[in-house]
Amino acid sequence: MAVPHISSCYGSAKSHESEGGVVIFIGYATLRPKVPQVSVTRAQMDTIYFDQSTLMMLHATIVIKAENDNTRARARFYDMSYTLSFRSQKIAILMADPFDVSPNRSLELNFVVPSQSIPLNPEEVEAINWSLNRNVVDLDLRGMSRTRWKVWLIGSIKYVLRLDCRLHLPVDQTTIYPHCVSRK
């Protein structure tokens, strides 16, 4: 039994559209574009000062790596902004101007974080005392970066890369290598 169908003068254009979709899908599957990512490669507490009343100052170095594992496409990273904080207290905002990363390359961004005097509430004073007794200060690094790259015929692809990282920084200037990688 035949299935009825309606012919249209636009039928041939639709078949070209579907063929184009197949070509784009095959191109996408062949190229296998990978989403660029950002990660914290290393971090170090350079100095920390706490006056036992309500003020804390610290100086830290944080290295964030932007990676582009695509074999043919240059990736652009922009709107990069990460907040470094102790509990709910903002210490610094790490930002970078837009930049490009060549195919199969990475770029490390070295952030040196000098803080101003940070006033602490009684709960935060207790937390910093506890941290100093352990010789490790826990800091949070949260934020995002946007990335864009071209994929052959498909065009430009955009992603938001979110980073949420807990840094356990020893106060003795030991460098740590956290396993913090962005997620899309």
Side-chain angles (χ1 to χ4, degrees), residues 113-159:
V113 181
S115 75
Q116 302 296 323
S117 293
I118 302 165
L120 303 176
N121 65 35
E123 182 181 303
E124 292 165 338
V125 168
E126 188 176 318
I128 196 67
N129 277 323
W130 184 75
S131 293
L132 292 173
N133 286 336
R134 292 183 322 144
N135 291 320
V136 174
V137 176
D138 296 331
L139 300 177
D140 294 314
L141 184 65
R142 291 190 177 108
M144 59 166 258
S145 176
R146 296 180 190 276
T147 186
R148 176 180 67 231
W149 73 104
K150 278 189 168 182
V151 178
W152 193 46
L153 294 175
I154 296 173
S156 186
I157 297 178
K158 296 179 183 181
Y159 274 100

Side-chain angles (χ1 to χ4, degrees), residues 18-34:
S18 64
E19 287 172 8
V22 170
V23 168
I24 289 174
F25 175 75
I26 290 171
Y28 185 84
T30 303
L31 294 175
R32 295 180 190 242
K34 297 178 181 156

Side-chain angles (χ1 to χ4, degrees), residues 10-24:
Y10 298 107
S12 60
K14 284 197 176 243
S15 66
H16 288 298
E17 284 177 11
S18 64
E19 287 172 8
V22 170
V23 168
I24 289 174

